[in-house]
Amino acid sequence: MRRWKRALSVYGRVHGHSVLIAEGEAWRERRQALQPDFTRKSAQAFSPSIVAASRRAFEQWLDRRDAWPIESELTSVTMEVILRMMFSSGVGSEAREAEEAVHTLMVASTEELWRPASLPALGAVAAQAPPRAAADERLD
């Protein structure tokens, strides 16, 4: 399956050459490298973190029944679990900050996706620019 080149270009700026962007053999290699982290044994090891983060979030949600932004809240719980698993400690408000940063980045990327073209990265523009002498010759 080949994916939309524009989406790969835009989201590639965000995700680099990760399993989310890679295709073919590169995707298989990245997926196989990640696979051990998703075995039953690994999932059982981090399930207490998932349960603890979910309980804390649920306790807060009960106080805010009228205004419950489910997407944001579930992303925040997910970020807390990911950060806890990566850094082996509680992260508290940093999970919310990470969630907000990811959300902002994804909104900006999605908006860019639907534009007809992207502005090039500054480094890419400099790399593609002809040398000054060549540019001067063209003007003559």
Side-chain angles (χ1 to χ4, degrees):
M1 174 177 89
R2 297 305 267 173
R3 295 178 281 175
W4 185 27
K5 280 187 173 188
R6 175 88 177 124
L8 291 175
S9 171
V10 169
Y11 291 125
R13 290 182 180 187
V14 175
H15 299 289
H17 299 289
S18 73
V19 72
L20 300 172
I21 299 300
E23 293 186 295
E25 188 59 31
W27 173 81
R28 266 187 282 296
E29 289 172 3
R30 286 170 179 83
R31 184 177 172 273
Q32 287 175 348
L34 291 170
Q35 188 117 13
D37 294 329
F38 294 95
T39 62
R40 179 180 298 207
K41 185 176 180 180
S42 293
Q44 288 172 339
F46 61 78
S47 63
S49 293
I50 295 171
V51 171
S54 299
R55 282 192 178 131
R56 281 189 300 279
F58 187 70
E59 289 169 2
Q60 295 171 1
W61 296 342
L62 290 176
D63 296 335
R64 301 183 349 220
R65 289 185 196 158
D66 295 336
W68 191 57
I70 190 168
E71 178 186 5
S72 173
E73 296 294 335
L74 293 177
T75 302
S76 186
V77 169
T78 303
M79 292 305 297
E80 181 178 342
V81 171
I82 290 170
L83 292 172
R84 186 176 294 273
M85 296 311 301
M86 289 174 64
F87 302 112
S88 301
S89 65
V91 292
S93 65
E94 291 173 349
R96 175 63 67 188
E97 292 171 16
E99 180 266 323
E100 289 172 2
V102 168
H103 178 75
T104 299
L105 184 59
M106 293 313 296
V107 167
S109 296
T110 302
E111 287 174 0
E112 182 179 344
L113 178 67
W114 298 108
R115 293 185 189 127
S118 298
L119 293 174
L122 184 58
V125 172
Q128 294 173 358
R132 181 74 184 167
D136 288 342
E137 287 175 18
R138 290 183 193 156
L139 292 174
D140 291 335

